[in-house]
Amino acid sequence: MLIPLSWLKDFVDIDIPAELLAEKLTVAGLEVDKIMYIGVPQTQQAHLHATFKQEVRYPKSDHLVWDREKLLWGAIREIKPHPNADRLVLALVDYGGAELEQCVTGAPNLFEFKGQGPLPEPLYTVIALEGAEVWDGHSDEPKRMILKEKPLRGIPNRSMVCSEKELGISDEHEGIMLFHADLGHKPGTPAQAVLGDIVFNIELTPNLARTFSIYGVAREVAALLDKPLHPPSYEVVMDGAPIDGQVFIDIREPELNPRFTLSLLRDITIKPSPDWMQRRLKLVGQRPINNIVDVTNYVTFEIGQPLHAFDYDKLVARAGGKAPTIITRLPEPGETLETLDEVKRSLDSHNILVCDTAGVLSMGGIIGGAETEISDTTTNVLLEAAAWQFINIRKTMSTQKVHTDAAARFSRGVHPSQAILGLKRGIELMRQLSDGKIAKGIIDDYPLPPETVRVALTTHEIDRIMGVRFSAEEAAALLRRGGFEVKVEGETMHVTAPDFRMDISSDPITGQADLIEEIARISGYAAIPNTIIADMMPDQQANPSLEREEQTRDLLVALGLRETISYRMTTPEREVQLVPPGMASSLPQADYVRLANPISAEKTVLRHTLFISLLENARANARYNERQQLFEIGNVYLKNGNAPLPDEPRKLGLLMTGKRGVSGWMHGEEGGEVNFFDLKGVIEGLLDGLHVRQVSYARAEHTSLHPGRSAQLLLDGQAAGVFGELHPLVGLAFGFEDVSVQIAELDLDAILKQADPLHGVEPLPLTPPVYQDIAFIVRETVTAAQAEAVIRKAGGALLKGVRLFDVYTGDPVPAGHKSLAYNLVYQTDERTLTDKEVAAVHAKIVKLCERELEAQLRA
Amino acid sequence: MLEQLETQYKQAAAALEQIAEGAGLAEWERETLGRSGWLTGMLRGVGQLPAEQRAAFGKRANEIKVALTQAYEAREKLIIEQDLARDLEEGQIDVTLPGRPRPTGGLHPSTQTLRQFYHIWGDMGFQVYRSRDVEDDDTNFTLLNIPPHHPARDMQDTFYTTEPNVILRTHTSPGQIRAMRELGEDGSKPIRVILPGMCYRYEQITPRSEIQFHQVEGLAIGRNIRMTDLKGTIAAFARRMFGADARVRFRASYFPFTEPSMEVDVECFLCHGDGCRVCKYSGWLEICGSGMVHPVVLRNGGYDPSVWSGFAFGFGPERMAMLMHGIEDIRYFWGNDLRFLEQF
Ligand SMILES: [Zn+2]
């Protein structure tokens, strides 16, 4: 929202620099996002500091500061033809000097005055004298220039009448800036004093409906600076025939339209609005149209009450020549309306409408209809100022996809009390600008006035929430600055909220909070002391779920993996790539959590598996990184039958591809490519680090994985995830053609449940170990797990360790067989083992392996 | 004989002076002093000399042996020193060559920032409470004092699911309701928690805005929690996070679930308030929204708002990491480009 300080000053006296005012507004919740300067200089930090003892920060602005000696308010007295050029004229400008200054200019908007001799009424503009700094009007890029003496087609020229672009007001460079009135300043006045201004851009939070206007901001400024407020004039000169009988109102939905007011202005002339109004409208970003439409906009921006003007004669025509009746109601089935934005709208059942007996006129509080709008031929104006329920306006804005300045205000809430003020302000301004006559009286239908909000607040309650002790009188004074009526009774304040404070709740507890916020805001947040919490500390508890998750991350990082965090959104089509064509999916079969309003076609559901995140990350990185070792911890989302909320199990995903090691400048040290056992090593390392017990592995049947190189992790015999080499066809789908990808998705909740932070520690052995190796040949179908189980069974208590150190197939091992070789460690704390004891156990192991594994001992 | 001894001695002494390396020295020793060396041979041959010459020869031969042994040892020491000096000289490597790269892992920057929050808030007695990503509309909005069609809903563009009234949480604040109801024991226990988690907003993905991001929200509920405590607590956090002299500015703001509400700015730690691109030349960085828990929210959490009070605050870890590391593009976070991740 744009707030020109020149306009703001109509309503409140401001005696501090703009930058300090911006800081005060920002700290009070009206965030001044930007300060725009028109011609005037910024305040110096040092000045602020010295004068106001305030350290205020604001960005340095690189705007053009208008030289007070060389950029002056000028009156153009005459436009003469240029003797040598048709496209140029000579403007004779009174700039307060002894003689008129002659400027050579090509401004097209002066040509209509050419050769008329001295103008009966001068035109006003800004004249730049030699040496003045201005923006270069002919440059596309912002470029400054210093005005120099330069003859134009044989006529000496050392000054310039300026366009808005040259002064840095706007990009307008079609013609020079022209005013038809002196704006109250004599020629020769520094342009800064006439047109210089500062405009704030204020970001409004949704609770600040009351400040959605210049006057609304002025109220805040008055409260913050503790200055009196000067309201606009609501006097109306009514010298026309009485309004009674000329128009009627019929409100059918008072909940949606609690108030509707009308005034009638006859015998007007449609013409441009005056310079001062046009200038103000431009400063707030509006395009001037004509005196009637401009007033509706002006009042909307000035006091925040949107107005709507009808062409009264068109209404009379629609009523068959009789006095029209304005009806506000909901649409009938099939009703449509063509609005001012040239959209033909079919209406929704909740759209509150302004109608007459012949049909729909406009969408109440939002946008007018095309048929009855003001035109150049309008002579009689019916002005509407009404109140609308803000929630209903919001619904209509979203379903009809329409956004107007009026709707923006009504959708935040405008109190019905404002309607009559807006009507009076608007109709009187229209009268002044259009030479019309206002009908005597106002039609004011107000079926549902809101209740006045009254809240009782104690100083104790302020202290309880704020931690600051105010006396009742101190707090009351702060509230009164904001327009509240306060009656103090001991420690209690009986507060009546002003009607524009629709944000103050009538619920006692919420209303108190609303008032406490107001007291805090007006007194200033900076003035509230900082304390440490004196309240009792709640019981402290451990959070093992989080702590072990973080420990898992640390272990995986120590194992050399890098963490990723991915979008949780994907599509079923993306996840289908995880299944080789023609095969059944082993991925979760639950329904997806589907987005009703996806942001793009690539993000329509929440993921079922981390596989998709890992593989897409790996594919994206593959171009620059052949070697990738990644992990991700995060939720997947599985709909659970008819339960509205899905299950969100926590998963751990791992992905490894490329070389085992990192290549440096020493050749050949990277090792081979990672395979199943690298991945399994990481999983074992993690489970060891977490002290998870009862771990076993079994073959997996998962169609996304290589059928021969994939496994299931079992914890206590329960499945807790799968891992292994990615199925080559799936690898291909993700661009991994010649390289294998090792991937895992494990159930982190199940793993962490088994983690044992209280794991015991083996004492260090007191006796020396005895090492023996054993190697035997078994059929290939015998698994390592089976072989180790037999060895351990036979070894009994004396066998402390079993480590597989070689697996070999090929000559001389017969086909269909393999050789397994183990380091065995014998040890007991009770005594140092003798060779004889060891030999006995060792023989037992050999025997059992021969019997149970049909093993054949090697040399 | 004696003459021959003297000649050999001179030759051997001279030869020793010429020896420059260990191998030559060993050979000299073998040929001279060794068991089959000439000097040993000569000493052994003393018995064959006439008796009157024996004493003189023996004496002289022993003198020579002592002299040569000493010379040998000196020579050996010299050669060892020279060898070592040469080894040290020749063993030089180019120390500017890169080290052998170790396979290293690392934590995602969001995790690293989240951990900073866990540590700092943990020290202040705030424990971590996590809640679900997919939420019901009631918990995400209505119970937080944002009824349907409330203007505040405009502040948070929402992802809806095809399940009626089920959405992706737009903030971690629904965790406030869940924490109060779970930990509050019907509004009878104080609470001090932080609520980290992923949030989702329906926004265009740009360098400055993302559809998913972490939040860390904080909640303190008690019978004596005041706005002054909120200010003091946030200021303490800022000192921990940004340094002991971090300056903080509190300004009024609006969140439907707190009142009074405030935004917290910290003095830009890049320009120390002078104004720079990161702080948009304002000198301040917005780090946190906060406020006193709204009475309606307390009530919805099971607490009597006329007895209990509390404060809440919310941080954006990704935004914080962006400020602290000068990251210009928020899309880096879920892009998972290793060239980005490996910088952490
Ligand atoms: Zn900065």
Side-chain angles (χ1 to χ4, degrees):
Chain A
M1 183 182 54
L2 297 171
I3 302 292
L5 293 198
S6 58
W7 197 346
L8 191 64
K9 286 174 180 169
D10 281 7
F11 310 118
V12 60
D13 303 327
I14 296 170
D15 55 4
I16 56 172
E19 293 79 5
L20 184 53
L21 178 63
E23 171 77 6
K24 285 183 185 292
L25 285 169
T26 298
V27 170
L30 281 79
E31 188 178 354
V32 178
D33 182 54
K34 198 167 183 218
I35 305 176
M36 286 160 284
Y37 300 85
I38 301 173
V40 297
Q42 278 191 301
T43 311
Q44 296 297 312
Q45 293 274 11
H47 170 70
L48 272 174
H49 204 107
T51 314
F52 299 94
K53 309 286 172 260
Q54 289 254 7
E55 203 178 325
V56 180
R57 310 202 156 103
Y58 48 91
K60 305 262 175 302
S61 172
D62 62 352
H63 69 283
L64 180 76
V65 177
W66 299 340
D67 189 320
R68 296 184 69 92
E69 308 288 327
K70 299 191 173 89
L71 281 163
L72 304 174
W73 188 232
I76 303 175
R77 302 285 184 196
E78 185 175 353
I79 306 294
K80 286 188 186 164
H82 191 292
N84 308 323
D86 286 346
R87 300 242 174 127
L88 295 173
V89 293
L90 310 177
L92 301 182
V93 186
D94 173 3
Y95 67 97
E99 292 170 20
L100 296 185
E101 175 73 14
Q102 176 174 287
C103 306
V104 185
T105 173
N109 55 344
L110 289 179
F111 278 55
E112 59 176 296
F113 306 102
K114 180 163 81 171
Q116 295 177 357
L119 298 171
E121 292 291 334
L123 298 163
Y124 293 87
T125 189
V126 170
I127 178 167
L129 303 180
E130 187 175 3
E133 187 178 29
V134 292
W135 293 108
D136 185 343
H138 300 285
S139 167
D140 290 337
E141 297 295 309
K143 197 178 127 203
R144 291 162 186 258
M145 57 175 251
I146 304 282
L147 201 61
K148 291 197 181 83
E149 210 291 82
K150 186 186 170 202
L152 269 177
R153 304 292 297 272
I155 302 287
N157 184 40
R158 55 186 185 99
S159 56
M160 180 170 87
V161 281
C162 299
S163 70
E164 291 195 355
K165 183 175 177 182
E166 281 154 346
L167 292 172
I169 295 175
S170 74
D171 287 336
E172 181 60 50
H173 191 57
E174 266 302 293
I176 62 161
M177 204 166 40
L178 276 187
F179 295 92
H180 300 85
D182 64 4
L183 301 183
H185 293 278
K186 284 204 194 76
T189 309
Q192 260 195 40
V194 186
L195 297 176
D197 212 336
I198 294 175
V199 181
F200 288 172
N201 186 36
I202 299 185
E203 296 272 331
L204 288 185
T205 49
N207 60 322
L208 288 174
R210 66 179 188 276
T211 65
F212 208 162
S213 66
I214 310 281
Y215 185 61
V217 173
R219 269 197 303 249
E220 285 294 313
V221 172
L224 292 172
L225 303 184
D226 202 7
K227 295 272 178 192
L229 190 62
H230 316 299
S233 165
Y234 298 115
E235 303 271 312
V236 183
V237 177
M238 294 180 176
D239 47 6
I243 195 168
D244 300 325
Q246 304 199 55
V247 63
F248 303 96
I249 297 177
D250 178 3
I251 295 175
R252 306 229 174 123
E253 304 286 344
E255 286 283 341
L256 303 182
N257 173 212
R259 190 176 199 179
F260 201 98
T261 68
L262 287 168
S263 182
L264 183 59
L265 174 66
R266 286 185 175 275
D267 305 324
I268 61 144
T269 313
I270 296 283
K271 58 185 176 186
S273 53
D275 291 331
W276 64 266
M277 181 176 278
Q278 291 202 19
R279 190 169 146 260
R280 284 189 163 180
L281 288 173
K282 283 187 193 164
L283 285 174
V284 295
Q286 292 295 298
R287 192 169 54 89
I289 295 167
N290 61 41
N291 49 355
I292 301 302
V293 176
D294 287 357
V295 168
T296 62
N297 287 330
Y298 187 86
V299 173
T300 301
F301 280 83
E302 185 181 60
I303 63 169
Q305 169 68 44
L307 305 175
H308 184 71
F310 294 99
D311 185 324
Y312 177 71
D313 296 322
K314 288 180 187 160
L315 295 174
V316 171
R318 284 165 61 95
K322 292 205 282 279
T325 300
I326 303 293
I327 304 160
T328 62
R329 59 166 170 85
L330 293 171
E332 279 154 19
E335 263 185 323
T336 60
L337 173 68
E338 185 180 339
T339 43
L340 281 173
D341 51 3
E342 294 173 0
V343 178
K344 196 156 184 206
R345 298 172 185 278
S346 56
L347 300 164
D348 304 302
S349 62
H350 60 83
N351 301 154
I352 182 82
L353 303 171
V354 179
C355 307
D356 62 5
T357 46
V360 190
L361 300 171
S362 69
M363 295 174 74
I366 295 182
I367 191 165
E371 193 183 330
T372 51
E373 69 177 304
I374 300 296
S375 73
D376 292 347
T377 59
T378 301
T379 55
N380 299 313
V381 175
L382 184 67
L383 184 64
E384 161 202 324
W388 308 98
Q389 192 215 64
F390 74 98
I391 286 177
N392 193 55
I393 297 284
R394 284 172 50 76
K395 280 197 217 165
T396 299
M397 285 171 79
S398 79
T399 54
Q400 289 286 344
K401 297 190 173 38
V402 54
H403 192 98
T404 61
D405 290 313
R409 285 163 179 80
F410 281 128
S411 68
R412 287 166 178 252
V414 180
H415 195 277
S417 64
Q418 304 296 299
I420 194 74
L421 300 179
L423 189 80
K424 288 177 172 173
R425 178 80 176 142
I427 202 75
E428 174 62 16
L429 279 171
M430 286 179 184
R431 185 192 70 79
Q432 289 171 12
L433 306 188
S434 70
D435 317 317
K437 278 184 191 313
I438 299 171
K440 264 197 193 63
I442 278 169
I443 308 279
D444 180 3
D445 199 357
Y446 197 177
L448 203 60
E451 285 191 16
T452 302
V453 173
R454 293 189 175 83
V455 182
L457 178 67
T458 62
T459 53
H460 168 262
E461 182 66 9
I462 299 172
D463 186 24
R464 187 175 77 90
I465 300 297
M466 267 181 80
V468 180
R469 273 219 155 272
F470 285 101
S471 74
E473 274 310 334
E474 283 165 346
L478 290 167
L479 287 170
R480 286 184 190 120
R481 276 160 65 174
F484 292 84
E485 275 175 40
V486 189
K487 228 171 66 202
V488 175
E489 227 179 66
E491 291 301 300
T492 304
M493 287 153 277
H494 298 278
V495 181
T496 305
D499 51 23
F500 57 82
R501 289 305 299 257
M502 292 174 79
D503 55 318
I504 307 295
S505 172
S506 54
D507 168 87
I509 274 272
T510 303
Q512 287 174 13
D514 294 337
L515 293 181
I516 290 167
E517 175 171 67
E518 203 54 24
I519 290 166
R521 236 170 40 83
I522 302 296
S523 72
Y525 280 16
I528 300 170
N530 293 4
T531 56
I532 51 169
I533 307 177
D535 198 53
M536 71 173 282
M537 176 80 92
D539 294 340
Q540 298 282 296
Q541 289 165 338
N543 187 339
S545 161
L546 175 74
E547 286 156 16
R548 291 177 195 171
E549 181 181 313
E550 297 301 340
Q551 192 192 355
T552 302
R553 288 194 171 90
D554 288 339
L555 285 165
L556 290 169
V557 167
L559 288 162
L561 276 70
R562 191 159 288 279
E563 187 186 19
T564 60
I565 301 178
S566 306
Y567 285 114
R568 309 289 169 78
M569 292 173 202
T570 182
T571 64
E573 294 72 28
R574 278 158 75 184
E575 293 202 342
V576 158
Q577 298 174 87
L578 297 166
V579 182
M583 294 181 73
S585 172
S586 305
L587 298 168
Q589 294 304 300
D591 281 342
Y592 280 105
V593 174
R594 286 176 191 277
L595 300 179
N597 57 334
I599 194 94
S600 80
E602 284 75 48
K603 295 183 175 69
T604 59
V605 301
L606 298 188
R607 68 184 176 195
H608 266 170
T609 168
L610 292 185
F611 281 165
I612 190 66
S613 305
L614 291 164
L615 279 168
E616 287 179 346
N617 287 334
R619 174 171 60 192
N621 277 307
R623 193 165 156 209
Y624 303 105
N625 302 274
E626 280 177 35
R627 180 185 186 277
Q628 300 190 55
Q629 303 204 346
L630 311 174
F631 78 94
E632 178 155 345
I633 290 175
N635 299 342
V636 301
Y637 305 84
L638 308 173
K639 284 206 70 172
N640 178 5
N642 289 328
L645 296 177
D647 290 340
E648 302 181 357
R650 186 166 40 150
K651 300 286 185 182
L652 164 63
L654 308 169
L655 182 145
M656 302 170 84
T657 185
K659 292 275 192 286
R660 192 160 291 134
V662 189
S663 22
W665 51 272
M666 286 172 265
H667 293 289
E669 299 197 336
E670 306 90 348
E673 279 188 3
V674 292
N675 60 30
F676 176 88
F677 296 104
D678 292 277
L679 178 62
K680 189 171 177 190
V682 167
I683 293 170
E684 289 170 338
L686 171 66
L687 297 177
D688 275 357
L690 291 169
H691 302 281
V692 172
R693 312 246 180 257
Q694 309 298 330
V695 180
S696 59
Y697 301 91
R699 277 199 176 286
E701 285 181 14
H702 194 291
T703 51
S704 300
L705 301 178
H706 189 301
R709 297 181 199 154
S710 55
Q712 235 186 335
L713 170 66
L714 301 169
L715 298 177
D716 247 344
Q718 299 292 308
V722 291
F723 64 96
E725 187 168 318
L726 192 65
H727 194 292
L729 291 176
V730 178
L732 210 56
F734 286 89
F736 295 95
E737 203 165 331
D738 299 319
V739 61
S740 77
V741 177
Q742 308 301 326
I743 194 162
E745 183 175 56
L746 306 178
D747 181 349
L748 192 59
D749 289 308
I751 292 173
L752 297 186
K753 208 181 296 163
Q754 300 274 343
D756 181 10
L758 302 178
H759 65 92
V761 169
E762 293 272 316
L764 299 182
L766 302 167
T767 56
V770 179
Y771 298 103
Q772 291 251 304
D773 289 352
I774 184 171
F776 47 74
I777 293 168
V778 291
R779 280 199 313 279
E780 264 187 19
T781 49
V782 173
T783 66
Q786 286 168 336
E788 187 177 324
V790 171
I791 293 171
R792 284 191 185 277
K793 190 166 80 178
L798 297 185
L799 179 64
K800 267 276 135 58
V802 179
R803 189 178 72 85
L804 180 68
F805 71 88
D806 188 42
V807 180
Y808 177 76
T809 55
D811 200 48
V813 176
H817 289 70
K818 63 186 170 189
S819 160
L820 299 174
Y822 293 89
N823 289 135
L824 304 181
V825 184
Y826 298 98
Q827 194 171 34
T828 174
D829 275 349
E830 286 153 25
R831 60 192 182 279
T832 301
L833 290 172
T834 63
D835 290 352
K836 221 170 121 190
E837 279 177 298
V838 170
V841 183
H842 201 72
K844 206 171 142 197
I845 291 172
V846 171
K847 202 180 250 171
L848 202 64
C849 287
E850 282 170 351
R851 196 166 75 218
E852 298 205 353
L853 303 173
E854 295 173 32
Q856 193 189 332
L857 196 65
R858 295 186 75 189
Chain B
M1 194 63 183
L2 198 58
E3 214 167 282
Q4 192 193 343
L5 178 67
E6 291 298 341
T7 310
Q8 294 246 46
Y9 167 49
K10 271 189 196 113
Q11 282 172 359
L16 185 63
E17 291 304 308
Q18 299 302 313
I19 291 170
E21 54 183 30
L25 192 67
E27 192 183 334
W28 181 92
E29 198 264 355
R30 201 167 53 247
E31 288 172 357
T32 310
L33 300 170
R35 221 180 299 164
S36 50
W38 61 266
L39 185 58
T40 317
M42 280 192 167
L43 277 168
R44 222 180 268 136
V46 169
Q48 286 147 32
L49 285 179
E52 68 279 11
Q53 290 179 18
R54 281 185 203 164
F57 183 88
K59 185 174 171 250
R60 180 61 188 149
N62 272 321
E63 279 171 13
I64 287 173
K65 187 174 180 183
V66 169
L68 281 177
T69 303
Q70 282 173 352
Y72 166 78
E73 281 167 359
R75 191 76 201 164
E76 185 182 38
K77 190 166 170 252
L78 183 72
I79 287 176
I80 287 172
E81 281 169 0
Q82 281 173 348
D83 280 356
L84 180 63
R86 192 169 52 242
D87 276 359
L88 294 177
E89 175 70 21
E90 286 172 1
Q92 272 191 29
I93 51 166
D94 177 0
V95 296
T96 67
L97 279 169
R100 186 170 301 179
R102 310 280 305 180
T104 51
L107 292 172
H108 191 280
S110 294
T111 300
Q112 297 189 25
T113 314
L114 282 168
R115 285 188 174 186
Q116 279 181 286
F117 283 100
Y118 299 162
H119 291 150
I120 298 175
W121 288 110
D123 288 353
M124 295 200 252
F126 287 74
Q127 300 188 297
V128 175
Y129 179 92
R130 299 197 285 185
S131 67
R132 50 185 313 117
D133 283 16
V134 183
E135 262 295 359
D136 54 74
D137 186 282
D138 254 17
T139 316
N140 192 81
F141 289 123
T142 311
L143 293 174
L144 290 167
N145 196 32
I146 318 175
H149 300 290
H150 190 276
R153 290 211 174 192
D154 290 352
M155 296 164 86
Q156 301 182 2
D157 289 314
T158 308
F159 277 113
Y160 299 92
T161 74
T162 50
E163 183 82 30
N165 296 316
V166 173
I167 60 160
L168 308 193
R169 66 173 165 194
T170 55
H171 47 184
T172 44
S173 313
Q176 290 190 23
I177 297 290
R178 293 187 179 275
M180 282 190 269
R181 289 182 174 182
E182 188 183 319
L183 308 174
E185 295 181 19
D186 296 320
S188 67
K189 292 270 183 197
I191 291 181
R192 232 169 275 180
V193 290
I194 57 169
L195 312 133
M198 195 68 92
C199 305
Y200 306 84
R201 300 257 175 104
Y202 183 89
E203 285 187 27
Q204 291 311 314
I205 302 175
T206 72
R208 311 297 305 171
S209 66
E210 257 293 2
I211 55 169
Q212 85 178 29
F213 52 88
H214 283 100
Q215 266 191 0
V216 177
E217 189 143 326
L219 178 70
I221 307 276
R223 288 170 182 271
N224 180 28
I225 302 255
R226 305 149 316 158
M227 206 170 156
T228 53
D229 297 329
L230 167 58
K231 282 190 67 183
T233 305
I234 300 269
F237 169 84
R239 285 194 299 274
R240 278 284 300 272
M241 191 84 179
F242 305 111
D245 52 357
R247 290 179 54 186
V248 179
R249 173 174 82 165
F250 298 87
R251 57 190 161 81
S253 189
Y254 171 73
F255 307 104
F257 34 92
T258 52
E259 187 167 26
S261 300
M262 54 198 195
E263 291 277 3
V264 185
D265 301 330
V266 64
E267 185 176 78
C268 179
F269 42 77
L270 297 165
C271 63
H272 303 288
D274 292 341
C276 69
R277 209 159 54 85
V278 173
C279 62
K280 295 194 202 119
Y281 302 95
S282 71
W284 295 106
L285 296 170
E286 195 175 303
I287 56 160
C288 150
S290 64
M292 300 303 290
V293 179
H294 197 282
V296 167
V297 176
L298 280 172
R299 200 181 283 152
N300 290 336
Y303 290 87
D304 176 355
S306 65
V307 177
W308 294 83
S309 58
F311 64 69
F313 53 81
F315 291 91
E318 281 82 35
R319 189 176 143 67
M320 196 78 92
M322 289 173 80
L323 294 173
M324 295 173 79
H325 300 289
I327 301 167
E328 307 248 317
D329 194 331
I330 196 172
R331 295 172 301 183
Y332 285 0
F333 284 86
W334 323 135
N336 291 311
D337 192 316
L338 287 169
R339 294 169 296 175
F340 170 67
L341 296 179
E342 283 170 358
Q343 295 182 53
F344 289 90

